[in-house]
Amino acid sequence: MEQIIKLNQENLAEISKRIPCPTYDRSQLKTGIVHVGIGGFHRAHEAFYTDELLHDEAIKDWGICGIALLDFDTKIYNTLKAQDGLYTLIIKELDGTLTKRVIGSITECLFAPENPIKVIEKMASPDVKIITLTITEGGYNYNEATKEFDFSNPLIQHDLDHPEAPKTIFGYLTQALKLRKERSLQGCTIQSCDNIQGNGHMTKRMLMSYVNTAEPELSAWIETNVSFPNAMVDRITPATSALDIELLKETSGIDDAWPVVCEPFKQWVIEDDFIAGRPAWETVGAQFVKDVVPYEKMKLSLLNAGHSVLGILGALYGYSTIDEAVGNADISSFLRIYMGNEVTPTLGDLEGVNLKNYKFSLIQRFGNTYIKDQIDRICSQSSAKIPIFILPTINTQLETKGSIDHAAFIIAAFAIYSVGVNEFGTQLIIKDAMEQVLNEKAIASRTHPESFLEIDAIFGSLKDNTTFVAAYTKAYQNIVQNGIEKAVKDINSNILNDI
Ligand code: CS2
């Protein structure tokens, strides 16, 4: 057994005898990117692409400063700090091979709750050209019911009252941009890497709502000095498990407190709108396009929605990982019918994309048995995911009088899921900012199924659509009366008979 080596800068030369490590001189890098939200996805995606790029020794301007924004992020901050920003990326190939490497692109880390001013200064630094975000779908403070920025959020009120010590991304960005303006510095790009349709547009619209109230005189400056490119991001990155940490120790003798595991597939399609310059990410596989909207729509409505379908149904069947759910023939038929009959007609023209292959590859990616993506992870924060991943499909299908039966079934399954226990008596772990209201409405739905649709912040005006309500209620009753397995078989057979 090899000696176990702790991952940090000092031990890098030794570790590089075991797995690939950065060969560039990290101490020579300037911080050109500030990234907010240093969870697994960022580390498997943007930080990975950037690490690849930095292997070109001529590139010195694009080190990343990772910001841990929330109290909740203490652990990742302490871990990365102790490891000098280094971590291991473990790619789980389809045949089970582990491809490991140490990623070195995160060269600094800051913990916002400890020192907000330092974070604001870093975001305003003249070297920083891009601020990228993975703050989750719910982090944009958008209310589906009002279609507006949610000023009732107490954290937003806090930021309005204490601009010097913000807690939300909106408070931080506003203060940093204000400093840039006051110091007559160049503007920068704010780039969302979250799963939201038009994520750049959404970032701009939400930030501008906040700025118009907090610092109205800053709005015009932002309009001319800040760009917000839209982007589609993709790489399945499950939560790291204790087993992954052990496996790395056993197979390579590396003691990394928080490695990241992910699938081999990766995709990043970005609009080329970077007001202060950008890294040449295209040299390491990113695609720059004029209009990313169709790609985003395809990915959100097929991959992310597909995940939610497998997660919610899988939980009701008693599975705990996504590969188990897609391995069930009835669930995978359900997903194929949903993607083919309900999502595909809403996607419009996707020039240059072979949709059939894309859908096929998704089933294969979901089925990667080595990834073991947790159903708990997929179902977490569904109240923020459903409006983005599934609602647009339902709304478009209702407008065009297309089929919505499978989509309505998913929402009914979600109502039943939100009770917190499945029909086999297994407790479901519900991690959701709206957990309480979900649970209350789920319980009320036992006598009045439509109650669940009254959560306007998730479903908007869906409760007023009689076609949808009828399909939803039918699915709800079918699941309750016949059990999830029979109900899924039934709804699939209706379609198969039709064809
Ligand atoms: C998942 C995503 O959170 C979710 O529900 O669908 O994290 C998904 O794995 C990534 O977007 C893949 O790119």
Side-chain angles (χ1 to χ4, degrees):
M1 169 74 180
E2 287 175 305
Q3 189 206 346
I4 308 269
I5 312 178
K6 208 163 172 31
L7 178 58
N8 57 34
Q9 182 65 38
E10 199 189 334
N11 294 340
L12 213 49
E14 203 47 41
I15 292 175
S16 68
K17 294 179 190 154
R18 302 183 183 184
I19 64 171
C21 286
T23 53
Y24 50 90
D25 183 353
R26 298 176 74 229
S27 67
Q28 293 303 306
L29 297 177
K30 268 201 294 198
T31 297
I33 301 171
V34 166
H35 180 80
V36 183
I38 33 183
F41 181 73
H42 168 70
R43 289 184 287 145
H45 195 260
E46 179 186 336
F48 167 84
Y49 278 93
T50 308
D51 175 80
E52 291 236 293
L53 186 78
L54 293 172
H55 278 87
D56 176 343
E57 284 285 341
I59 298 172
K60 306 239 177 281
D61 293 345
W62 299 110
I64 301 174
C65 171
I67 309 282
L69 195 73
L70 310 172
D71 290 323
F72 170 84
D73 300 325
T74 322
K75 186 173 165 208
I76 184 61
Y77 169 71
N78 286 334
T79 305
L80 283 177
K81 207 171 123 202
Q83 297 184 175
D84 303 313
L86 296 166
Y87 62 94
T88 317
L89 187 68
I90 307 173
I91 301 171
K92 298 191 168 178
E93 311 286 350
L94 285 169
D95 66 359
T97 315
L98 302 180
T99 305
K100 300 170 226 167
R101 67 188 250 197
V102 173
I103 304 291
S105 50
I106 300 182
T107 46
E108 294 181 72
C109 281
L110 295 174
F111 184 46
E114 193 175 77
N115 198 338
I117 298 294
K118 213 164 168 181
V119 171
I120 294 169
E121 284 290 344
K122 181 52 79 178
M123 287 176 165
S125 151
D127 286 342
V128 169
K129 310 293 181 197
I130 308 174
I131 301 172
T132 54
L133 313 175
T134 45
I135 54 173
T136 79
E137 295 79 19
Y140 290 78
N141 203 46
Y142 172 76
N143 184 317
E144 182 67 34
T146 59
K147 312 262 182 242
E148 299 292 346
F149 188 77
D150 182 6
F151 279 99
S152 70
N153 178 344
L155 294 176
I156 296 294
Q157 285 307 318
H158 169 277
D159 284 8
L160 290 170
D161 295 340
H162 305 92
E164 69 307 328
K167 286 188 190 294
T168 77
I169 185 65
F170 302 101
Y172 276 102
L173 291 175
T174 304
Q175 291 310 307
L177 297 175
K178 191 177 164 201
L179 279 190
R180 281 183 183 263
K181 179 182 172 226
E182 281 170 7
R183 295 174 182 170
S184 304
L185 294 171
Q186 196 187 21
C188 62
T189 299
I190 300 179
Q191 183 184 8
S192 166
C193 300
D194 282 298
N195 289 311
I196 294 181
Q197 180 71 44
N199 54 9
H201 293 147
M202 173 66 96
T203 309
K204 180 171 183 185
R205 192 153 85 78
M206 295 299 107
L207 178 63
M208 286 313 230
S209 302
Y210 181 80
V211 168
N212 285 335
T213 301
E215 297 284 344
E217 59 294 348
L218 188 61
S219 304
W221 187 89
I222 297 180
E223 282 293 347
T224 38
N225 293 283
V226 182
S227 61
F228 299 84
N230 293 306
M232 181 265 248
V233 294
D234 194 5
R235 185 166 226 177
I236 294 176
T237 310
T240 304
S241 70
L243 276 179
D244 295 317
I245 297 175
E246 277 317 302
L247 197 65
L248 182 62
K249 270 194 202 137
E250 271 166 31
T251 54
S252 301
I254 298 171
D255 178 6
D256 179 343
W258 204 328
V260 178
V261 291
C262 67
E263 64 169 341
F265 181 92
K266 63 181 192 315
Q267 197 175 14
W268 199 5
V269 190
I270 316 167
E271 277 170 14
D272 203 353
D273 181 17
F274 288 74
I275 200 157
R278 63 166 175 82
W281 280 314
E282 69 276 23
T283 59
V284 288
Q287 294 158 262
F288 282 91
V289 297
K290 259 217 162 70
D291 179 12
V292 82
V293 169
Y295 293 92
E296 286 181 311
K297 209 167 158 188
M298 170 184 87
K299 194 254 167 172
L300 298 171
S301 331
L302 290 170
L303 184 145
N304 296 109
H307 255 163
S308 295
V309 169
L310 296 174
I312 294 166
L313 296 185
L316 294 189
Y317 273 69
Y319 295 131
S320 52
T321 62
I322 290 295
D323 60 293
E324 287 172 337
V326 80
N328 176 301
D330 293 328
I331 300 184
S332 85
S333 297
F334 182 101
L335 179 60
R336 285 169 213 265
I337 296 170
Y338 173 66
M339 294 200 295
N341 280 14
E342 303 187 7
V343 182
T344 302
T346 68
L347 294 179
D349 200 16
L350 287 167
E351 220 190 286
V353 177
N354 182 330
L355 207 52
K356 214 167 153 199
N357 286 355
Y358 184 77
K359 287 183 273 190
F360 179 78
S361 79
L362 288 184
I363 302 282
Q364 198 187 28
R365 290 170 64 194
F366 293 149
N368 182 337
T369 47
Y370 301 99
I371 287 281
K372 298 260 163 283
D373 200 357
Q374 303 85 355
I375 282 185
D376 287 351
R377 176 184 90 83
I378 295 300
C379 291
S380 70
Q381 308 304 338
S382 284
S383 66
K385 293 175 179 176
I386 285 175
I388 301 170
F389 302 164
I390 299 181
L391 213 58
T393 298
I394 297 176
N395 287 335
T396 308
Q397 285 289 84
L398 285 172
E399 271 164 35
T400 56
K401 302 208 182 326
S403 156
I404 42 101
D405 287 347
H406 277 59
F409 190 100
I410 300 160
I411 304 298
F414 180 49
I416 291 165
Y417 166 90
S418 299
V419 170
V421 55
N422 69 14
E423 68 196 44
F424 309 107
T426 311
Q427 291 292 326
L428 306 170
I429 304 167
I430 300 183
K431 282 191 232 141
D432 201 297
M434 294 183 69
E435 182 184 341
Q436 203 182 338
V437 59
L438 284 171
N439 193 251
E440 278 165 20
K441 292 289 183 187
I443 289 170
S445 300
R446 286 174 160 165
T447 40
H448 295 100
E450 310 91 278
S451 301
F452 198 66
L453 302 178
E454 286 162 7
I455 314 175
D456 295 349
I458 306 179
F459 301 112
S461 56
L462 212 50
K463 66 173 185 300
D464 302 327
N465 186 294
T466 47
T467 311
F468 184 81
V469 173
Y472 160 87
T473 312
K474 191 168 160 204
Y476 188 97
Q477 275 153 357
N478 194 0
I479 302 173
V480 172
Q481 282 159 17
N482 299 313
I484 186 68
E485 295 179 16
K486 177 152 189 325
V488 168
K489 279 188 201 298
D490 279 359
I491 190 141
N492 287 346
S493 70
N494 288 345
I495 300 292
L496 296 174
N497 292 341
D498 266 10
I499 294 175

